[in-house]
Amino acid sequence: MAPKTLSAFLSPISLPHHLTQFNPKFLKINTKPTRIFCKSAQSHKTPLSETQLSVSMPEAGGAGAAAPTPGEQFLERQKAFEAAKLVMKEAKKKKRREKQKALKVNSAVVCCYGCGAPLQTSDQEAPGYVDPDTYELKKRHHQLRTVLCGRCRLLSHGHMITAVGGNGGYPGGKQFVSADELREKLSHLRHERVLIVKLVDIVDFNGSFLARVRDLAGANPIILVVTKVDLLPRDTDLNCVGDWVVEATTKKKLNVLSVHLTSSKSLVGITGVISEIQKEKKGRDVYILGSANVGKSAFINALLKMMAHRDPAAAAARKYKPIQSAVPGTTLGPIQIDAFLGGGKLFDTPGVHLHHRQPAVVHSDDLPILAPRSRLRGQSFPNAKAASENGIADKFESNGLNGFSIFWGGLVRIDVLKVLPETSLTFYGPKALQIHIVPTDKADEFYKKELGVLLTPPTGEKKAKDWKGLEIMRELQIKFEDPRRPASDVAISGLGWIAIEPVSRSPGRPESNLEETVKELHLAVHVPKPVEIFVRPPLPVGKAGAEWYQYRELTEKEEELRPKWHF
């Protein structure tokens, strides 16, 4: 009975006549293949081939797990990639934190509040030295942060004690730290979120600007503070100077929020800087950055003095403020100042010592000569006094400065190769540097004879003997369009600048016909190696500066992007 039933079940099924005809629609719907699973007759000990496994493994609803689909495999790979990225990111963060931790000042080491050098009791001549008895007494009473080292005490009484040597440091004197080591102490700033207050000396604008400031500041916002504006000649229109500074700063393409013209001596413009710092600080630390001897410590003292009227923290910080000195490289380490009640610290930083400035080539004893101490007065050539002293008045009348050389101390020599008879050169810089004019054919002899005597620095026979001379000579071809305004400034890094006027504004001098004249001036400038020479648009100083200075027409986009200047 069973076989009969099975044969009946397996026999072909009889279909109605109308369904046996070809019907594509019926086939499309009803001919979907169906898998038939059979139990393998092989032993479980015999391994199965891949084909047999694919046939014998049950689908969803069976006893085993379903094979992952391509979509699921893709998602798994993506999850693995993201996990690997997170691991690599955390490893980089950890490495960066360790690097920054190594570069930052060790808070466990107590430093002199005047210069930032670590306190020590072993070397009496080195920065940070404190008498051992005093050190132990202050340490016992937890007052080491109120200790001033021996070098700072001498600096505060006018002694010239250098400590920085190397690339950008100073020849002569003691050299306890290199300029590169000081620069390395600032390298962590580009990895942090801070507010940078960058100082620039208006007397040495190009030389003190820090051309590679991005390497130190990174992408942090910058407040640009122009110091020593009280040294500019009388009757200078600061509106013109402010526009000139903003124009020069815009070309640097830095993240500058605003520009401030200030004087730490007269406190002019300091209030505006305080307002800008409070507005932009947002709980971050504030770092005062600038080249050596740009006036950072003096600026911080002026800042604390003005802030003390409203901020008790600043008033308390004034008791232990950084030391001011004419010696470049006074500050040897970051000095933390608790000057804000609302969070964030103020830091005085070591000056960035630049090898291309004049202070880097003169002896340490001659450094005070390079620092102007009073308002600048331009010395113009040719002039009647210089002509009468040298007995060359007749030559000036006929040919002007052509064929003459002008010495600016022993540091700069300018050979006048080809200029107009009415051309004038005006020198702006330290008054201690004497200016002498001689015929060019006698210039070499004059320099060799008078170096260290009339031409100083270097001062003295010994320093003159060690002096390497004016090794760099740069020929300048200065073009001009309007003879009624200066053609350009020739700025000497670390010293000052020379204004080149095609036609002197001196009264009584007739103007020549310039229509058929080639509007180009030829000069040769000699300086020590590796001092830099900058040719720049003329800085509008004095009463005449406001008359010839021209404001540039700006587009709406330029007006929006340009930083605003304040005074």
Side-chain angles (χ1 to χ4, degrees):
M1 185 67 185
K4 184 178 179 181
T5 306
L6 180 62
S7 62
F9 176 77
L10 294 176
S11 62
I13 301 173
S14 300
L15 297 175
H17 177 74
H18 67 279
L19 292 179
T20 60
Q21 302 298 322
F22 179 73
N23 190 338
K25 184 175 179 181
F26 175 80
L27 291 175
K28 182 177 180 181
I29 296 173
N30 297 284
T31 59
K32 181 177 179 180
T34 303
R35 290 185 181 182
I36 300 175
F37 298 97
C38 303
K39 187 175 180 181
S40 175
Q42 296 180 3
S43 172
H44 293 290
K45 295 182 180 180
T46 306
L48 300 177
S49 65
E50 291 182 5
T51 307
Q52 292 170 330
L53 284 172
S54 65
V55 172
S56 62
M57 290 297 291
E59 286 186 316
T69 64
E72 290 173 338
Q73 293 176 354
F74 174 77
L75 289 177
E76 288 297 327
R77 285 196 300 270
Q78 291 302 312
K79 288 179 182 179
F81 290 152
E82 292 300 324
K85 285 181 181 179
L86 287 175
V87 172
M88 293 296 294
K89 190 174 181 181
E90 288 299 323
K92 287 181 179 179
K93 283 184 178 180
K94 184 178 179 181
K95 187 176 180 181
R96 183 181 297 176
R97 285 196 297 267
E98 290 176 353
K99 184 178 179 181
Q100 292 179 17
K101 187 176 180 181
L103 292 174
K104 286 185 180 180
V105 180
N106 187 355
S107 59
V109 178
V110 181
C111 300
C112 169
Y113 72 81
C115 66
L119 296 180
Q120 49 91 14
T121 58
S122 56
D123 190 348
Q124 190 169 356
E125 295 185 352
Y129 175 79
V130 182
D131 180 74
D133 294 337
T134 304
Y135 184 88
E136 291 299 328
L137 179 64
K138 294 293 184 180
K139 182 179 180 180
R140 192 180 307 121
H141 292 87
H142 306 285
Q143 296 177 342
L144 283 177
R145 298 188 183 278
T146 67
V147 175
L148 196 66
C149 73
R151 173 176 175 266
C152 286
R153 292 183 185 279
L154 293 175
L155 289 174
S156 63
H157 288 86
H159 293 264
M160 303 295 291
I161 306 173
T162 58
V164 184
N167 187 26
Y170 312 102
K174 299 289 184 180
Q175 299 178 9
F176 296 99
V177 64
S178 71
D180 293 331
E181 289 173 346
L182 290 184
R183 196 175 295 112
E184 185 65 24
K185 292 183 179 182
L186 304 174
S187 60
H188 68 91
L189 292 181
R190 62 179 178 266
H191 302 299
E192 298 185 12
R193 291 186 67 254
V194 298
L195 177 63
I196 302 292
V197 178
K198 173 175 157 45
L199 270 59
V200 181
D201 185 351
I202 190 62
V203 180
D204 184 29
F205 184 84
N206 297 82
S208 65
F209 196 90
L210 299 182
R212 299 178 62 184
V213 67
R214 282 195 195 91
D215 295 345
L216 299 174
N220 288 307
I222 298 172
I223 299 174
L224 184 66
V225 175
V226 181
T227 63
K228 305 179 184 179
V229 295
D230 57 314
L231 297 180
L232 293 176
R234 293 188 183 277
D235 302 321
T236 297
D237 188 344
L238 293 179
N239 290 300
C240 300
V241 174
D243 186 78
W244 184 92
V245 170
V246 171
E247 191 72 20
T249 303
T250 304
K251 295 177 182 178
K252 306 284 186 181
K253 297 181 179 179
L254 299 174
N255 184 16
V256 176
L257 302 175
S258 58
V259 176
H260 299 261
L261 306 183
T262 67
S263 167
S264 301
K265 185 177 180 180
S266 63
L267 302 180
V268 168
I270 301 297
T271 304
V273 180
I274 295 172
S275 300
E276 189 74 8
I277 290 175
Q278 297 290 4
K279 174 185 173 185
E280 301 293 341
K281 183 166 66 71
K282 300 174 183 176
R284 294 175 292 188
D285 291 336
V286 180
Y287 282 78
I288 310 299
L289 198 66
S291 63
N293 214 32
V294 77
K296 294 184 298 299
S297 298
F299 171 75
I300 288 177
N301 291 340
L303 206 68
L304 294 176
K305 185 175 182 179
M306 296 298 291
M307 291 172 60
H309 297 298
R310 295 185 178 181
D311 195 334
R318 288 194 67 200
K319 189 175 181 181
Y320 304 106
K321 57 189 179 183
I323 289 293
Q324 291 179 232
S325 172
V327 178
T330 300
T331 305
L332 300 177
I335 301 175
Q336 178 180 311
I337 304 169
D338 298 327
F340 307 114
L341 281 178
K345 309 291 184 183
L346 180 67
F347 286 87
D348 187 9
T349 63
V352 180
H353 296 260
L354 305 172
H355 71 283
H356 60 73
R357 303 181 74 209
Q358 288 281 10
V361 299
V362 303
H363 194 276
S364 57
D365 295 341
D366 293 330
L367 289 175
I369 300 176
L370 304 184
R373 300 178 180 275
S374 57
R375 192 179 292 274
L376 300 179
R377 292 182 181 178
Q379 300 183 60
S380 297
F381 292 87
N383 59 51
K385 183 179 179 181
S388 60
E389 287 178 354
N390 293 275
I392 50 179
D394 295 338
K395 294 183 179 180
F396 280 158
E397 289 295 331
S398 60
N399 203 24
L401 289 173
N402 287 294
F404 285 93
S405 294
I406 304 174
F407 288 95
W408 200 1
L411 303 177
V412 182
R413 166 183 164 181
I414 298 180
D415 297 335
V416 183
L417 304 179
K418 184 180 179 182
V419 296
L420 302 176
E422 300 86 2
T423 297
S424 171
L425 275 61
T426 305
F427 291 73
Y428 295 94
K431 293 179 181 179
L433 261 67
Q434 299 296 319
I435 301 178
H436 300 274
I437 184 167
V438 297
T440 301
D441 55 2
K442 298 180 180 179
D444 292 336
E445 181 184 351
F446 179 78
Y447 186 76
K448 186 177 180 180
K449 179 182 177 182
E450 299 296 342
L451 183 66
V453 184
L454 287 178
L455 303 178
T456 58
T459 55
E461 183 179 348
K462 184 179 180 181
K463 296 187 186 69
K465 189 178 294 185
D466 298 334
W467 183 250
K468 295 182 179 180
L470 308 178
E471 300 176 291
I472 294 179
M473 189 274 287
R474 180 179 172 187
E475 288 193 15
L476 305 179
Q477 297 180 359
I478 300 172
K479 297 182 179 181
F480 65 93
E481 295 294 333
D482 188 354
R484 295 169 297 181
R485 61 192 302 270
S488 66
D489 287 345
V490 177
I492 310 298
S493 181
L495 191 63
W497 76 95
I498 304 110
I500 313 296
E501 296 180 79
V503 175
S504 174
R505 288 175 165 269
S506 301
R509 299 199 64 170
E511 290 190 15
S512 60
N513 183 14
L514 299 176
E515 295 298 329
E516 300 179 357
T517 305
V518 177
K519 297 182 178 180
E520 193 171 78
L521 310 175
H522 291 218
L523 305 170
V525 183
H526 305 253
V527 292
K529 187 178 181 179
V531 173
E532 285 195 13
I533 301 165
F534 302 94
V535 178
R536 70 186 190 191
L539 179 64
V541 296
K543 186 176 181 180
E547 298 175 5
W548 57 256
Y549 185 74
Q550 297 175 342
Y551 291 89
R552 187 169 65 89
E553 293 291 334
L554 302 174
T555 63
E556 291 185 3
K557 186 176 181 180
E558 287 177 327
E559 187 71 38
E560 182 181 350
L561 296 177
R562 269 169 61 109
K564 304 295 186 244
W565 71 271
H566 307 271
F567 175 67

